[in-house]
Amino acid sequence: MKEDIRKAMRIVTINTWKGDGQYARRLKLMTDGLQQVRPDIVCLQEALRSSDHTYDTATILADALDMDHVYGPSRYKPREIAGKTVQCHSGLAILSVYPIHRSWVDTLVEHPDDPDRIGLSAQLMSGDDLIMLTNLHLTHIVGQDEHRFKQLKTVIAQNSDAARGSHWFCCGDLNFEFDPTQPTMNLNGEDVEPIDCYRAGGGTLPGGTLSLVTKVSKQRRIDYILYLKRSPGSLPDFKDATRVLTRADQDGCYASDHFGVAVDTLLP
């Protein structure tokens, strides 16, 4: 049997929790943790960036990981960081060991109580393979799963043409439990079949992605890496799916209020 010598592409997604909690300490935990994970692509949500760039989560992590990155600013307002009020964005970022050729921002279907939600997409090359990433953070409003699904479905439809000919991943904090096998969450009308990479890669269930910092059910899995498969087309192999950045330091500080999700992908 011929040996499979393909290199797995490791993708990670994590909500970085803005500048809340012990931000400087958490940023060090994120940096150290991601350096140990050694991802090829990282999608960040709630990536803090102050107007004077004193605080800039995406740039600090990208520099530490020696990655190219793009940033989508959103939700600009004053926030408290380490006891100081700072004007800053809570945006989206895509980090990559591969050069990012182009990126763009889409405005999500707006909820009146939660405006300025965006999607950030980027295209890059891994060898001869064109990779497209769409990074999302859907509305947090309680009881709005139908609206979240509408945001997801709409941004996929908006980017369907741009994604043709590429391996398309949709990552992020969906803020609801998304099961693409359920008829009520069918995206096939958008010319794609969503694959839950965590499940496909053997991730342990229920795989809750909320850390002990949060006060809601820790078993809820709301952070996802989806592969948007077109038909016909070969499906990548997914393996070693796991949660990352799950441990607190000696004083009980977690890297974020979310755990990260990682999966290794072998492109066909």
Side-chain angles (χ1 to χ4, degrees), residues 126-147:
S126 170
D128 295 328
D129 295 304
L130 177 63
I131 310 294
M132 178 161 153
L133 281 301
T134 297
N135 187 12
L136 298 173
H137 186 193
L138 306 184
T139 184
H140 67 88
I141 302 297
V142 175
Q144 291 295 318
D145 286 358
E146 185 175 337
H147 187 80

Side-chain angles (χ1 to χ4, degrees), residues 21 52 57 63 135 143 191:
D52 62 359
T57 301
D63 288 348
N135 187 12
D191 192 32

Side-chain angles (χ1 to χ4, degrees), residues 15 18 44-47 72-77 79 90-92 105-120 135-142 147-148 151-152 154-155 158 172-175 222 258:
N15 181 319
K18 307 181 287 291
L44 305 177
Q45 303 87 46
E46 293 194 357
S74 66
R75 306 172 70 201
Y76 186 70
K77 65 179 184 180
R79 293 184 169 86
S90 170
L92 303 174
V105 168
D106 292 296
T107 301
L108 300 187
V109 178
E110 191 166 289
H111 190 284
D113 297 328
D114 186 28
D116 199 24
R117 293 276 175 177
I118 64 169
L120 174 66
N135 187 12
L136 298 173
H137 186 193
L138 306 184
T139 184
H140 67 88
I141 302 297
V142 175
H147 187 80
R148 281 182 271 273
Q151 289 180 322
L152 175 64
T154 301
V155 81
Q158 289 172 337
D173 178 358
L174 303 189
N175 264 318
I222 62 175
H258 287 237

Side-chain angles (χ1 to χ4, degrees), residues 145 175-177 206-210 216-222:
D145 286 358
N175 264 318
F176 75 122
E177 293 174 286
T209 55
L210 298 172
V216 298
S217 171
K218 311 304 182 298
Q219 298 303 315
R220 292 187 67 214
R221 186 163 68 96
I222 62 175

Side-chain angles (χ1 to χ4, degrees), residues 5-21:
I5 59 172
R6 292 175 296 167
K7 179 185 180 296
M9 179 176 66
R10 181 164 294 166
I11 302 175
V12 170
T13 184
I14 185 169
N15 181 319
T16 66
W17 199 24
K18 307 181 287 291
D20 293 355

